[in-house]
Amino acid sequence: MAARRAVSSLLSRCLYASPKILSPSLLPKGERAHGAAAGILQRFSTAVAIEDPVAPPVQVNYTKLLIDGKFVDSASGKTFPTVDPRTGEVIAHVAEGDAEDINRAVRAARKAFDEGPWPKMTAYERSRILLRFADLIDKHNDELAALETWDNGKPYEQAAKVEVPMFSRLMRYYAGWSDKIHGLIVPADGPHHVQVLHEPIGVAGQIIPWNFPLLMFAWKVGPALACGNTIVLKSAEQTPLTALYAAKLLHEAGLPEGVLNVVSGFGPTAGAALASHMDVDKVAFTGSTETGKIIQELAARSNLKPVTLELGGKSPFIIMDDANIDHAVELAHFALFFNQGQCCCAGSRTFVHEKVYDEFVEKSKARALKRVVGDPFKNGVEQGPQIDDEQFSKVLRYIRSGVDSGATLVTGGERAGSKGFYIQPTVFSDVKDNMVIAQEEIFGPVQSILKFKDLNEVIQRANATKYGLAAGVFTNNLNTANTLMRALRVGTVWINCFDVFDAAIPFGGYKMSGVGREKGIDSLKNYLQVKAVVTPLRNSAWL
């Protein structure tokens, strides 16, 4: 039981993405190169069984935009399909919001902030609404999990036993903060009474990704509501269903109309309109670094609204020569393959000391071959399909790039099954730092194993990236752990663990992995303004 809780604790924490722009270096090099790569790939395989898809135990009831407390059609009347990644078939057609729908949603949010009850409500009452929402999440755990699996492709057991309970936990965490946000009385160098107020920032624009839709909903919506703000949230076009369902439950819990508005749509239309809107006071985005740059530019060119960004990563997972290899193999496997490899903080550069390298590679191959790939609704499945055809094709191009650049394809490398977006768990050895698969974020089930000689070398190589989101360290030497945790230029270092995402632990990146922090007390700062109020004192008894 203790072991099961430990695994659940690990699984309960990891997070996000949006499609990354493919490097020109991955474009096909011609039929001859493609054929050679394909020939190499055919020598490897992973035993998987992709069966006819299980019928999802849930119905889709909400497909319209949620604006001012009501489900409405888009202004244009357009819809777009959301697709089952197990088959490529359409699940439902969802209202396609664009700039006019963002305008409608922002007007509703502005009115709710300027005139509505939410920011004027006592903090305790706001917390009670968020707690009722958490209770409703628990009540509808199975429906939320089934929708998440159907729309995203992640294993149902992961969604139902880990992610939805974590969603509920996060909302309770932020409910607890609602009535604990307070200001300060500051002593001045003279007869003045000085107050420092922490006020809600206003209308928050939020754009969430497709890899962890419910958890990203909580990361964004939780702190914004706890601080008394109103919201316009744009869901990822690949996974719009659970945001609408969750928002319906939040209104059922007592959220006033206009406080949370959900617009489904595409980045260049709805997303750009939200980031550049002159009446939005703050923008928060989780997704690719390339898109993050665009969001920041749009915010600056409009009303210079503050921006928080949680972006991409190419996280090192460092295994020293004193490590328990069996344990290290399992943890490194989890760090990369969890959520089909679709994690911004995935341990996608596995650095292994040369003394244990060969043993580690062989055992990593054996573990990958045992990984169960199949319909995510089936019990015991560890890996479902990639999110869509675009991501599926991109991952396969990265695999071909690895083969073409001279890395050794140890196992995997092909699609799994004949339909849907499944990819075999893939392991590369003999990976070099200058290879594309060691530099760019693949966002798929592809493990790259690199060899190093000593501590100073691996520190330099681990930091030689534009990203700085997270890192893993596996060692039994406390001095080594302390050296690495200070030397690695990343926002999170996991020592002898990985993907631990408690609600109170801040998360964010250095360098081009983002700006600001999600979760914990630091996330509240994203949604608060600081105001100083100074009043003269006359005949004060004390200063």
Side-chain angles (χ1 to χ4, degrees):
M1 189 67 178
R4 181 178 177 184
R5 284 196 298 268
V7 172
S8 178
S9 177
L10 281 172
L11 287 174
S12 67
R13 354 277 201 186
C14 183
L15 309 136
Y16 29 12
S18 92
K20 310 297 186 284
I21 296 174
L22 185 63
S23 166
S25 61
L26 293 185
L27 294 174
K29 298 180 181 178
E31 289 302 318
R32 182 176 180 181
H34 183 277
I40 295 172
L41 292 179
Q42 287 171 3
R43 293 178 7 220
F44 301 87
S45 65
T46 301
V48 293
I50 310 301
E51 302 174 0
D52 290 336
V54 174
V58 68
Q59 292 184 334
V60 177
N61 294 320
Y62 308 109
T63 59
K64 296 184 178 183
L65 313 179
L66 182 61
I67 297 177
D68 205 15
K70 302 176 181 64
F71 284 107
V72 297
D73 292 322
S74 62
S76 66
K78 291 182 180 178
T79 62
F80 66 93
T82 186
V83 172
D84 182 347
R86 301 174 304 160
T87 62
E89 297 173 356
V90 174
I91 298 172
H93 288 85
V94 180
E96 181 182 335
D98 56 22
E100 178 53 36
D101 300 295
I102 293 294
N103 287 336
R104 289 196 293 165
V106 172
R107 283 196 297 269
R110 174 57 60 192
K111 183 178 179 181
F113 185 78
D114 291 345
E115 305 173 20
W118 186 249
K120 303 176 182 66
M121 189 182 294
T122 67
Y124 176 61
E125 182 55 34
R126 287 203 302 270
S127 74
R128 292 180 64 192
I129 290 173
L130 294 179
L131 288 171
R132 287 197 292 270
F133 176 43
D135 289 340
L136 288 171
I137 293 170
D138 292 340
K139 180 180 178 180
H140 295 274
N141 182 97
D142 294 352
E143 297 100 304
L144 285 165
L147 275 179
E148 193 86 325
T149 293
W150 195 5
D151 213 14
N152 172 276
K154 65 179 66 213
Y156 176 77
E157 290 180 334
Q158 173 185 321
K161 297 179 181 179
V162 176
E163 294 187 18
V164 178
M166 189 61 178
F167 181 24
S168 170
R169 172 68 181 97
L170 284 159
M171 297 314 302
R172 287 191 168 87
Y173 175 81
Y174 286 114
W177 269 115
S178 295
D179 58 358
K180 299 170 186 67
I181 298 168
H182 53 75
L184 298 169
I185 303 298
V186 179
D189 293 340
H192 293 88
H193 176 72
V194 182
Q195 298 171 266
V196 179
L197 305 180
H198 293 161
E199 301 181 342
I201 201 166
V203 176
Q206 301 180 328
I207 303 173
I208 61 174
W210 49 257
N211 59 335
F212 293 92
L214 285 172
L215 291 179
M216 294 302 99
F217 182 104
W219 283 23
K220 296 291 189 291
V221 170
L225 292 184
C227 293
N229 299 282
T230 59
I231 299 167
V232 177
L233 181 140
K234 192 199 88 67
S235 56
E237 60 268 26
Q238 297 90 342
T239 54
L241 298 180
T242 50
L244 293 168
Y245 195 109
K248 171 64 169 60
L249 295 179
L250 189 43
H251 282 80
E252 187 178 329
L255 190 74
E257 294 179 352
V259 174
L260 172 63
N261 305 273
V262 179
V263 178
S264 48
F266 294 87
T269 50
L274 185 58
S276 60
H277 203 288
M278 293 296 294
D279 211 19
V280 171
D281 299 305
K282 186 263 182 320
V283 169
F285 169 79
T286 294
S288 72
T289 296
E290 291 78 9
T291 304
K293 291 178 182 178
I294 296 171
I295 296 292
Q296 193 158 30
E297 181 179 358
L298 291 172
R301 288 182 178 276
S302 52
N303 58 348
L304 206 63
K305 61 179 72 67
V307 177
T308 53
L309 302 170
E310 198 285 293
L311 306 175
K314 194 68 178 174
S315 300
F317 188 95
I318 299 169
I319 297 161
M320 301 303 297
D321 57 344
D322 64 344
N324 178 311
I325 294 302
D326 290 336
H327 190 186
V329 165
E330 186 62 33
L331 194 57
H333 180 89
F334 166 72
L336 186 284
F337 290 101
F338 176 61
N339 208 53
Q340 292 71 251
Q342 297 171 154
C343 298
C344 61
C345 58
S348 53
R349 290 184 296 153
T350 307
F351 287 96
V352 182
H353 195 281
E354 62 180 5
K355 291 182 179 178
V356 295
Y357 186 84
D358 291 341
E359 180 185 0
F360 183 91
V361 169
E362 283 304 309
K363 290 185 174 180
S364 294
K365 172 184 177 180
R367 178 62 180 91
L369 287 167
K370 291 178 182 177
R371 187 167 184 81
V372 181
V373 181
D375 189 317
F377 280 105
K378 289 183 67 64
N379 291 334
V381 166
E382 297 177 275
Q383 181 178 315
Q386 307 309 120
I387 184 67
D388 59 15
D389 182 63
E390 178 182 356
Q391 188 68 16
F392 169 82
S393 299
K394 188 187 86 166
V395 173
L396 290 177
R397 287 197 294 271
Y398 272 114
I399 292 171
R400 187 165 70 248
S401 169
V403 173
D404 291 345
S405 63
T408 300
L409 181 55
V410 175
T411 189
E414 301 180 50
R415 77 175 299 158
S418 60
K419 61 182 177 181
F421 309 126
Y422 297 89
I423 295 177
Q424 294 174 349
T426 298
V427 178
F428 279 104
S429 65
D430 304 314
V431 178
K432 308 302 180 185
D433 293 344
N434 62 352
M435 294 179 179
V436 171
I437 60 171
Q439 294 180 345
E440 299 184 9
E441 190 174 27
I442 299 174
F443 232 68
V446 181
Q447 184 178 31
S448 297
I449 308 177
L450 303 92
K451 184 187 296 184
F452 73 93
K453 293 182 179 180
D454 59 50
L455 192 59
N456 290 332
E457 175 197 333
V458 78
I459 290 171
Q460 186 276 324
R461 291 171 63 192
N463 285 332
T465 173
K466 65 182 179 180
Y467 297 114
L469 190 56
V473 172
F474 205 90
T475 179
N476 289 319
N477 188 309
L478 182 60
N479 291 329
T480 299
N482 283 334
T483 297
L484 285 167
M485 67 184 252
R486 286 166 172 78
L488 295 170
R489 299 190 63 224
V490 297
T492 299
V493 179
W494 287 294
I495 299 174
N496 296 333
C497 62
F498 207 85
D499 285 351
V500 179
F501 281 96
D502 189 271
I505 300 174
F507 184 78
Y510 287 23
K511 298 187 280 187
M512 294 179 71
S513 285
V515 178
R517 293 295 181 267
E518 307 268 15
K519 300 190 292 99
I521 189 173
D522 294 274
S523 65
L524 302 173
K525 300 173 185 176
N526 301 330
Y527 297 98
L528 293 169
Q529 290 275 29
V530 179
K531 177 186 286 183
V533 181
V534 184
T535 307
L537 292 172
R538 299 289 183 265
N539 302 317
S540 176
W542 54 271
L543 292 178

